[in-house]
Amino acid sequence: MARKIIIDTDPGQDDAVAILLALASPEIEVLGLTAVAGNVPLARTQTNARIVCELAGRADMRVFAGCDAPMQRPLVTAEHVHGKTGLDGPDLWEPTMPLQPQHGVDFIIDTLRAEPPGTVTLTPLGPLTNIGTAFARAPDIVDRVQEIVLMGGAYFEVGNYTPAAEFNIYVDPEAADIVFRSGAPLTVMPLDVTHKALVTRPRLDAFAALGTRTGRFTAEMLDFFERFDIAKYGSKGGPLHDPTTIAYLLRPDLFSGRHVNVEIETGSDLTRGMTVADWWGVTDRAPNATFMGDIDADGFFALLTERLGRLP
């Protein structure tokens, strides 16, 4: 049977590729998408989520708008990376598929209560505001979650938004703290993994060479998206963060990591949003997350290219 997931997202070019990968994969049943403010404000992320669904030929997919600001802090966005729309690069359009009237947090709560326990996986691709809010509002759903597979945090790569913090965790560290303390099974794709998944020119050309609308759209998105990180890091390509979560659900053998304790720094202005991972086991704090450290990048991009080739 297909694995049931809810994608919680703030598209974002890399979010868009993750959504496309999920919608192209019969092993996964996407129950719905919940948009959250992050890379760009909520009005744009919920629009972008619907654009991506329409691109994939899935105008039937349900998209819900969730929280428009972090639980306790002002919203920080990343237009300097993703462009004003969040999906800069290709020509965009106004989606015609409807936005669902229900709030995204309520959808998460209701779905976890309605589905059999242990059958729904949450895949957050942005700040954890929607998930943290759902857990705070309805603690009974935590034990019903099969797994949370999220993109966020870092250990060896430290921060990409501040010297200590990765963007998704930095935006809403209080929500991240709720999620990491929840006791739900956690698998984390940090920068340590995603900075090894580089969109080199041959990999970018492979998307364009698919000859499909989705392939061209993806290549145009990523060509824009990677310019910032190539200039920042001096690498041969920009890191492709969010699709690692979906790839893990399809091919966990592509990844390796450790089950360790991870705590979120919420109090310090200097290190706010830092994921403090006890990678070396130097504390007696109980492990709460499988924190990935490596990826088979060639295998990852081969999977991604093959699956995107199935879309129109």
Side-chain angles (χ1 to χ4, degrees):
M1 293 180 62
R3 185 163 182 173
K4 297 177 182 179
I5 72 170
I6 296 172
I7 298 176
D8 188 63
T9 180
D10 62 337
Q13 291 91 346
D14 54 330
D15 301 70
V17 179
I19 294 166
L20 292 172
L21 177 58
L23 296 179
S25 299
E27 304 97 320
I28 291 174
E29 178 185 355
V30 182
L31 301 179
L33 279 68
T34 52
V36 67
N39 288 322
V40 286
L42 181 65
R44 195 65 236 180
T45 61
Q46 56 92 349
T47 298
N48 291 349
R50 290 182 290 142
I51 287 173
V52 175
C53 290
E54 290 185 354
L55 175 68
R58 291 297 306 275
D60 61 307
M61 183 56 57
R62 295 184 294 169
V63 176
F64 303 81
C67 298
D68 63 0
M71 296 182 74
Q72 298 182 26
R73 301 176 187 268
L75 176 64
V76 174
T77 56
E79 287 91 347
H80 63 289
V81 178
H82 297 271
K84 290 183 179 179
T85 68
L87 293 182
D88 277 20
D91 292 330
L92 303 179
W93 61 92
E94 188 64 29
T96 58
M97 63 181 285
L99 183 69
Q100 299 298 310
Q102 187 180 28
H103 194 282
V105 170
D106 293 327
F107 169 72
I108 292 168
I109 293 170
D110 290 350
T111 301
L112 285 168
R113 284 174 173 169
E115 296 288 340
T119 63
V120 176
T121 293
L122 304 177
T123 55
L125 311 178
L128 289 163
T129 311
N130 285 341
I131 310 301
T133 301
F135 283 6
R137 188 179 299 171
D140 60 286
I141 67 173
V142 174
D143 290 341
R144 303 181 70 89
V145 174
Q146 179 178 6
E147 186 178 8
I148 300 172
V149 182
L150 67 91
M151 188 276 134
Y155 179 69
F156 294 101
E157 287 287 321
V158 290
N160 65 349
Y161 192 76
T162 73
E166 179 273 332
F167 177 80
N168 286 344
I169 306 299
Y170 177 84
V171 170
D172 198 341
E174 284 77 19
D177 187 50
I178 289 171
V179 172
F180 275 79
R181 291 180 183 274
S182 69
L186 281 173
T187 298
V188 182
M189 297 293 164
L191 300 181
D192 307 294
V193 164
T194 65
H195 280 187
K196 297 171 184 173
L198 299 179
V199 185
T200 60
R201 180 52 55 174
R203 290 167 177 167
L204 187 68
D205 291 344
F207 293 132
L210 291 172
T212 61
R213 185 188 185 199
T214 297
R216 290 189 297 272
F217 190 96
T218 301
E220 290 168 1
M221 278 196 305
L222 297 183
D223 187 43
F224 175 91
F225 177 53
E226 70 173 4
R227 294 175 189 176
F228 176 85
D229 283 325
I230 289 174
K232 178 179 179 180
Y233 297 111
S235 56
K236 294 182 179 180
L240 192 56
H241 307 285
D242 293 333
T244 57
T245 60
I246 305 300
Y248 172 77
L249 297 177
L250 298 168
R251 290 280 309 278
D253 58 296
L254 295 174
F255 302 88
S256 61
R258 297 183 182 181
H259 190 55
V260 300
N261 178 269
V262 182
E263 298 198 10
I264 310 299
E265 177 56 58
T266 60
S268 167
D269 289 336
L270 183 65
T271 58
R272 183 178 107 199
M274 184 176 185
T275 47
V276 183
D278 187 11
W279 187 260
W280 304 114
V282 296
T283 75
D284 59 0
R285 296 194 291 267
N288 62 339
T290 300
F291 203 79
M292 292 300 178
D294 207 357
I295 181 175
D296 174 355
D298 288 337
F300 168 70
F301 279 98
L303 171 67
L304 191 53
T305 305
E306 186 273 323
R307 292 302 171 93
L308 295 193
R310 301 182 182 191
L311 295 174

